[in-house]
Amino acid sequence: MGRNAGFDEFVLVTARAVVADLAPDEAVVVDVVGQEFLRDPERLLSRDGSRPPVLGSGIGTVVTMVTPVALAVGASVYQHLLGKAGESLANGTVKLVRKVFRRDEGAADEVRRVVVERARELGRSADEANRIADTVIAELTRDDDAA
């Protein structure tokens, strides 16, 4: 429905928890409203301008729903944490790539093939493509402390 299954699950689980704590009467609609949110968040959040959806009790009482807010908050938290995870991964990527490269016995041959093929596609000579591959492989085998 949404961006991916992990996103959908995180948003719905977070919204269920918020609704259970703040508006337990809405618990029965979280999944239905959640599916609508995952299909089109902007549509759900912008009904009648900036007014969030409301629940009527049948006796003239109208209450602003917590569920859309809980869903939107879940989506924002997911995006924030995903960004933080990406930053963390990026900071450790060079060391991780080198470690994976050193553990894989056939990695040098595979990397050489990829580098040479790509360099040739980009118009470099075979000699230059091989020199580029040598440099890339040397960089990947370099000690992590030298990075």
Side-chain angles (χ1 to χ4, degrees):
M1 288 259 125
R3 295 185 178 127
N4 63 56
F7 173 82
D8 293 359
E9 180 182 2
F10 184 89
V11 169
L12 291 173
V13 166
T14 302
R16 286 183 200 120
V18 170
V19 168
D21 190 42
L22 298 177
D25 293 345
E26 291 181 34
V28 296
V29 299
V30 171
D31 287 337
V32 173
V33 175
Q35 294 308 313
E36 184 180 341
F37 175 84
L38 294 172
R39 270 191 298 281
D40 190 356
E42 297 305 316
R43 188 173 138 249
L44 179 68
L45 295 173
S46 66
R47 289 186 176 171
D48 297 322
S50 61
R51 214 178 70 206
V54 294
L55 259 179
S57 68
I59 57 172
T61 304
V62 175
V63 179
T64 302
M65 289 180 69
V66 171
T67 302
V69 173
L71 291 161
V73 165
S76 293
V77 169
Y78 181 89
Q79 291 301 335
H80 175 76
L81 293 176
L82 190 63
K84 288 291 185 188
E87 288 173 20
S88 177
L89 180 61
N91 290 337
T93 298
V94 172
K95 287 182 180 182
L96 178 62
V97 167
R98 285 186 179 134
K99 183 183 273 187
V100 169
F101 177 82
R102 286 192 295 262
R103 287 185 180 172
D104 184 347
E105 290 180 19
D109 292 337
E110 292 173 21
V111 168
R112 174 171 299 285
R113 182 188 57 73
V114 168
V115 171
V116 169
E117 182 178 301
R118 185 65 177 136
R120 296 290 286 155
E121 286 173 1
L122 295 170
R124 309 321 299 184
S125 69
D127 183 53
E128 190 173 18
N130 279 301
R131 287 179 49 209
I132 293 169
D134 290 342
T135 302
V136 170
I137 291 167
E139 179 62 26
L140 289 170
T141 56
R142 189 166 58 106
D143 186 13
D144 289 337
D145 294 332

